[in-house]
Structure formats: C-alpha cells, structure tokens
Amino acid sequence: MTAPPPRVRKAVIPAAGLGTRFLPATKATPKEMLPIVDKPAIQYVVEEAVAAGLDDVLMVTGRGKRALEDHFDRNAELEAVLTGKGDTARLDLVRASTDLATVHYVRQGDPRGLGHAVLCAAPHVGAEPFAVLLGDNLIDPADPLLSSMTAVREELGGSVIALMDVGAEHINRYGCAAVESAGRDGLVRVTDLVEKPEAGEAPSALAVIGRYVLDPAVFEVLAKTEPGRGGEIQLTDALRTMARDPEIGGPVHAVVFTGHRYDTCYRGEYLRATVRLACRREDVGPEFRTWLQTFVARDLAA
Ligand code: UTP
C-alpha cells in the first residue's frame, strides 16, 4: 500500500519586497504593516494560513521589516500596562497576534525577486509540500481559498495555484495561465504560464493571484531559474517549467477563485479592502455603513 501524501502544514509568506508602489507610507513602515481598519494586513494573511490548518509560518523578511517580527512577538511592557488597567479586551487584541501561530523568520538579504524569496524558505520547508501566501495580497476572510487548494494537493499531488478571471482588458498586468479542463467545476489544469502578456497574446483571462501550494520540487527548479522580468528570479518562471513538464514535481492544477481578493499594494484596492471589511465589522460596521450610505447618496451625488 502506498503511503498517503504528506499533509500541507507549512506556510511561507514572502514579505521582503520594498513596497515602492505605496510610498511614502512605506518609507519607514513595511507595507504589510499598513492597517486594514485596525489590524495590519499581514495579520489577516497569517490568520488565513491558520484557518487553512497551517500553523507553522515562515516569513521571508529583509531590511526595514523589524516591525513584522515585533508584531508577532510578545510586548511585555504593553501587556503589563493593560493588565494594570484591567483592560482585558485590549489585552486580548495584543496577545492575539502572538498566540496565532508559530512564526519563524528568514532574511532574504537582497530582494532578488519572489522566486528567490521562496528559495530562501528551502531549509525550513525541507521535502514537504507547502503553501505560499503573498504578504500584500488579501483574500476576503469570507471566501476561503487556501483550504480548497490544499485539498486538491492532497488528492491529486503536484502543485496548485490560484487563478482569477480579470477580463481580457486587464490580463496584461498579471501572470496569465493557459489551461485545460480538469473535469470538474472550479478546477483546471495549467499547461503554460506567460508573465504580463501583450494585448491579443494572452492564452486566457485567468490571472495568477498570490496563493500557491507547491511541491518541494519547486526548490530545485528555482535554483536553476535565471533572472527574468525586471532582473528578478520569478516564481512564475519556475512554475512555467513545472506546468510544461509534469515529470518535475507532478501536475500544476489551479483553483479558479471567484471571491474577493485585494492587491493591497495598489491604493485603490487597499481602500476597497478597508471599506468592505469595515462595513462587515460588528463594532465599527453599523455606524460606518450608515455614514457611507449618506456619503454616497448626498456628498458623492452632489
Ligand atoms: P511585489 O513585486 O509585489 O513587491 O512582490 P514589492 O517589490 O514590494 O513591490 P513594489 O513594486 O516595490 O511596490 C510580490 C510579493 O513578493 C515579495 C513582496 O514582499 C510581495 O509580498 N517579494 C518580492 C519578496 O519577498 N522578495 C523579493 O525580492 C520580491
């Protein structure tokens, strides 16, 4: 009898990028620490990993990213002050990020691209399948994606990426996948990948979004992947090699996501994420929704 495939247990969160698209906020603050309502974006990402059963988290960081480590560490002084005041509600908030998961860190040194950041995780991950969650991409907590991806990996092996239909007019901003049917709704088999295709040359309108479940064979491929677009080692290039040759690390499947996802390095998407999540909050939500309705009906209509 063959052994069952290993369960996906580890999550890698690359967060070493410079975040230049969100300057000046990111001059001295990591973009992953920008709050959506009152919680740093990165905490939503770690919560998403934990919700999918991955509680071993490796963050790939670099210069200027100390705040990430501090956020997931204890803050004894703050806890003592809140304990002294008997402010248990805020104490719980402060402790929540520490108690969430076991968070490990590795530094990337030079930010030589997303593929290089993932390669920095190799010693921690070893020979297991693992998930990659981009620290600046938010998946709406109401639309779970990662657990459906790990389920596909556990059933079919290989690697699993997430795709989203962004429309033919926007596909040139993204990695784009050529796909074929996998014989079931919401799942496709990836046959090729093209980074930011020119208009008219895209094989589909399906864009790669920042969630991956990868076979550890990706490390060997990344180690041999030459710098591509922007002089950076691209994860998409390694995945293209794997999609074209299933002998390397098994097939590449994709879950086609139809929920809400926000690329928080774009100002507009950051604002949309903030408004949507604020509206849904039980504490600030009711008052904010009332204000928003009035703002749209009266101020915007004026
Ligand atoms: P991006 O290219 O979107 O991030 O990388 P960036 O470099 O911070 O963006 P801009 O263009 O300067 O605004 C996607 C993800 O990969 C990580 C980033 O932190 C982000 O989560 N990344 C990127 C690394 O960890 N290391 C790198 O060398 C590059």
Side-chain angles (χ1 to χ4, degrees):
M1 214 171 83
T2 51
R7 208 172 67 78
V8 185
R9 299 183 306 124
K10 293 180 179 170
V12 173
I13 304 183
L18 298 176
T20 55
R21 276 170 289 178
F22 223 103
L23 282 166
T26 49
K27 184 178 172 191
T29 304
K31 66 175 166 181
E32 297 81 7
M33 285 303 293
L34 297 178
I36 309 286
V37 190
D38 53 6
K39 199 158 68 176
I42 190 75
Q43 190 173 333
Y44 290 91
V45 177
V46 175
E47 285 171 354
E48 182 192 340
V50 172
L54 319 179
D55 55 7
D56 177 314
V57 173
L58 176 74
M59 239 171 249
V60 185
T61 67
R63 281 175 64 80
K65 300 281 181 168
R66 267 287 306 277
L68 290 173
E69 295 187 31
D70 287 344
H71 185 69
F72 292 98
D73 198 359
R74 289 231 98 87
N75 184 333
E77 203 181 316
L78 187 55
E79 287 186 28
V81 170
L82 293 170
T83 305
K85 287 182 177 172
D87 192 342
T88 50
R90 291 203 174 89
L91 195 57
D92 288 348
L93 290 176
V94 166
R95 287 181 175 157
S97 56
T98 317
D99 297 339
L100 203 50
T102 310
V103 187
H104 308 268
Y105 300 89
V106 62
R107 284 176 73 112
Q108 192 185 2
D110 274 340
R112 290 168 52 203
L114 175 58
H116 179 251
V118 171
L119 194 51
C120 293
H124 180 84
V125 169
E128 298 182 29
F130 64 106
V132 174
L133 296 84
L134 298 196
D136 56 3
N137 270 223
L138 277 196
I139 299 293
D140 196 307
D143 303 317
L145 166 65
L146 199 56
S147 42
S148 58
M149 295 171 69
T150 55
V152 172
R153 155 73 203 193
E154 277 153 26
E155 185 191 345
L156 303 174
S159 297
V160 188
I161 63 174
L163 295 174
M164 199 163 174
D165 191 335
V166 295
E169 67 280 21
H170 293 133
I171 192 68
N172 60 348
R173 297 185 199 162
Y174 299 92
C176 170
V179 300
E180 61 185 27
S181 166
R184 66 174 89 155
D185 271 359
L187 186 73
V188 289
R189 171 104 183 239
V190 180
T191 55
D192 205 353
L193 288 161
V194 194
E195 188 62 37
K196 302 190 174 68
E198 299 294 330
E201 286 177 14
S204 74
L206 295 172
V208 178
I209 58 171
R211 296 294 180 269
Y212 310 80
V213 173
L214 300 174
D215 187 90
V218 75
F219 293 129
E220 258 176 67
V221 181
L222 279 170
K224 291 186 200 139
T225 300
E226 296 291 329
R229 179 175 278 267
E232 296 190 335
I233 298 173
Q234 300 287 355
L235 181 59
T236 306
D237 290 344
L239 284 169
R240 180 196 301 128
T241 305
M242 295 167 80
R244 285 178 177 175
D245 183 358
E247 293 291 307
I248 315 170
V252 178
H253 285 96
V255 170
V256 181
F257 183 58
T258 52
H260 295 102
R261 163 256 183 193
Y262 311 94
D263 202 341
T264 54
C265 57
Y266 294 107
R267 292 165 173 80
E269 293 203 30
Y270 176 81
L271 292 172
R272 284 195 277 278
T274 303
V275 171
R276 190 179 288 276
L277 296 188
C279 284
R280 205 182 296 143
R281 283 269 295 254
E282 279 176 14
D283 48 0
V284 294
E287 194 187 332
F288 183 65
R289 281 199 301 271
T290 307
W291 174 84
L292 190 61
Q293 276 161 347
T294 313
F295 177 71
V296 171
R298 201 181 58 198
D299 301 17
L300 281 192

